[in-house]
Amino acid sequence: MTVNYSLDAATASAWAVIAVIFLWRGSLMKLVWREMLGWTILMAVLYAAFVWGLKGTEYENYYKTMFDLTKEVPMDGTLMFLMSYMTYNSLTRWSETFKCMAWPENVALIYRQYANKRAMKPGEARLMNQTIARYLAIFYILLFRDVCSDVREMFPTFDDMVQPGIMTADEANLLQSSRLDRNSPHYWIPIDWIVTLVKSKYQPTYVYNRKGQRVRNKKESIMTELEYLKFIGELNKFRGRLGDVLSYDWVPLPLALFQTLTVFVYSTLVVNCFQMQTRIITSGKSSVSEMFVECLSTLPFNMLHLAFLRISQVVINPFGSDDDDFETQYLIDRHIKVLNEILCPEETKKQK
């Protein structure tokens, strides 16, 4: 997935630039080589059809007339405008989506800092930490299942999360038996579980006795009132940021815009083949060398058009299987390890 070349380009030397240019994974050539090969084949077929099939026949003038009709087609300015608009919007959505990818460290660290160990027995506190770490991991998995095909293949059903120990059978049944539609997002439910779990251990600072008097609560609370409010606020902010990821997935760029750019770029390549045939025929040479020179002179511009198109297609949905898409599987593994390091350090040391 994501291609990281930052280390190779850390120093802007000539060798570093060459090394980056010749990278294959996620490169320009990997994106456009099929289209460029098809364009070259079409160019050669049109040239061969004229030289060895129609030249000197009664159909030669009809063939030249067809080429002449494409000579004055004004496409470059319109195409550059469309490509710039589409690429800008696609890259903006890509960067904004990445900014929504909140990481769970803040929630785990705040809980670790605020949790009052005296409010629970040691075994109960350890189980509480493990459960919160699991719920945060489940939250990520449920979210990515709704937007990423790779994660959906890893966990096609809730039961597939039970076997690796991410979720218990009771929790899977609870998700399946919820009143939500099967296709509705369930990602927020583990956050509700965390709130319910912490709330069950929370005790208000002051309570009212039988006489209706306001007295200080003698029971130990897992958090103070202010800490509890800060923790719930951090959970809500965390859920809100990652919930915006679904918004970008539900409401993509208008389909007509995507189709317009795609059709226009490929139409430009086809028209360009005919325009090049006109230049070759009118030059009077009609040789392979002339076609080779025309191809080399036009190739950079066609690659530029295709590059912007393919970049827009790749970044319009960063949760697929393209080279530059987000590594959601890595993120899930990484978050599980980090959450265990923060909330369950004793278990992590035992595993090591």
Side-chain angles (χ1 to χ4, degrees):
M1 291 184 179
T2 305
V3 180
N4 192 336
Y5 60 91
S6 300
L7 185 60
D8 296 328
T11 304
S13 62
W15 291 112
V17 172
I18 292 174
V20 171
I21 287 177
F22 284 97
L23 291 176
W24 174 251
R25 185 167 171 266
S27 66
L28 169 64
M29 290 306 300
K30 184 177 180 180
L31 287 177
V32 305
W33 74 268
R34 297 176 183 84
E35 288 86 350
M36 295 312 302
L37 178 61
W39 177 79
T40 304
I41 292 174
L42 177 60
M43 182 71 187
V45 169
L46 291 175
Y47 175 78
F50 174 75
V51 173
W52 288 293
L54 301 175
K55 188 176 181 181
T57 66
E58 57 180 327
Y59 299 103
E60 179 179 356
N61 291 331
Y62 296 107
Y63 203 59
K64 289 182 178 180
T65 302
M66 182 176 62
F67 289 154
D68 291 337
L69 292 175
T70 63
K71 187 185 300 183
E72 303 299 331
V73 177
M75 304 187 74
D76 291 340
T78 306
L79 183 60
M80 290 303 297
F81 171 76
L82 284 174
M83 287 193 305
S84 302
Y85 182 77
M86 181 68 177
T87 306
Y88 171 78
N89 281 280
S90 298
L91 290 174
T92 300
R93 285 175 60 88
W94 183 89
S95 61
E96 292 298 324
T97 303
F98 182 76
K99 291 177 183 178
C100 294
M101 303 281 287
W103 290 12
E105 283 90 327
N106 282 358
V107 175
L109 289 171
I110 287 178
Y111 176 81
R112 177 87 177 183
Q113 178 184 357
Y114 289 165
N116 182 10
K117 295 181 179 179
R118 297 190 302 272
M120 298 173 286
K121 297 178 181 179
E124 188 179 8
R126 185 164 54 251
L127 180 60
M128 185 89 162
N129 290 356
Q130 293 172 352
T131 304
I132 290 178
R134 275 198 314 105
Y135 286 168
L136 288 173
I138 294 171
F139 169 80
Y140 266 97
I141 294 173
L142 293 179
L143 175 72
F144 286 147
R145 282 180 77 251
D146 291 334
V147 298
C148 181
S149 57
D150 290 342
V151 178
R152 173 70 74 167
E153 291 176 359
M154 288 176 60
F155 305 104
T157 64
F158 296 139
D159 293 332
D160 294 304
M161 300 171 62
V162 176
Q163 185 175 2
I166 299 174
M167 185 186 297
T168 65
D170 292 338
E171 291 164 353
N173 292 332
L174 187 60
L175 285 175
Q176 291 173 344
S177 61
S178 67
R179 290 177 295 176
L180 292 174
D181 182 77
R182 179 176 292 273
N183 296 322
S184 298
H186 294 74
Y187 72 96
W188 56 270
I189 295 180
I191 298 296
D192 183 58
W193 291 346
I194 294 176
V195 173
T196 304
L197 191 62
V198 174
K199 188 177 180 180
S200 66
K201 301 298 180 183
Y202 171 74
Q203 296 291 336
T205 306
Y206 294 94
V207 294
Y208 290 91
N209 59 17
R210 295 179 180 178
K211 298 180 180 180
Q213 297 173 334
R214 189 169 178 264
V215 296
R216 193 172 187 86
N217 193 354
K218 296 181 179 180
K219 295 181 180 179
E220 289 283 353
S221 176
I222 190 172
M223 297 176 187
T224 65
E225 183 176 354
L226 182 59
E227 292 171 346
Y228 178 75
L229 292 176
K230 286 183 178 179
F231 178 72
I232 298 300
E234 186 65 30
L235 270 179
N236 287 330
K237 184 170 66 174
F238 176 71
R239 187 219 60 80
R241 284 185 61 187
L242 281 166
D244 289 339
V245 173
L246 283 180
S247 301
Y248 283 104
D249 181 68
W250 289 338
V251 186
L253 289 175
L255 178 62
L257 178 62
F258 184 80
Q259 291 174 334
T260 300
L261 180 64
T262 303
V263 172
F264 207 91
V265 168
Y266 288 125
S267 299
T268 300
L269 293 179
V270 175
V271 170
N272 183 254
C273 284
F274 286 96
Q275 291 176 342
M276 288 180 60
Q277 295 294 328
T278 304
R279 292 195 294 268
I280 295 173
I281 293 171
T282 55
S283 67
K285 298 179 182 179
S286 298
S287 61
V288 176
S289 60
E290 184 70 15
M291 186 185 71
F292 182 74
V293 171
E294 286 290 342
C295 287
L296 287 182
S297 64
T298 313
L299 185 64
F301 296 99
N302 289 335
M303 289 186 65
L304 177 65
H305 298 159
L306 280 172
F308 276 100
L309 172 65
R310 299 291 286 140
I311 290 171
S312 299
Q313 292 173 344
V314 167
V315 302
I316 198 170
N317 182 10
F319 294 103
S321 301
D322 296 315
D323 289 340
D324 287 302
D325 286 339
F326 299 154
E327 297 187 23
T328 51
Q329 296 180 13
Y330 164 77
L331 286 176
I332 290 174
D333 293 337
R334 181 258 176 205
H335 293 334
I336 291 175
K337 292 179 181 178
V338 170
L339 289 170
N340 288 332
E341 286 283 350
I342 295 174
L343 296 175
C344 313
E346 298 84 3
E347 285 73 11
T348 305
K349 291 179 181 179
K350 291 179 181 179
Q351 293 175 0
K352 292 180 179 180

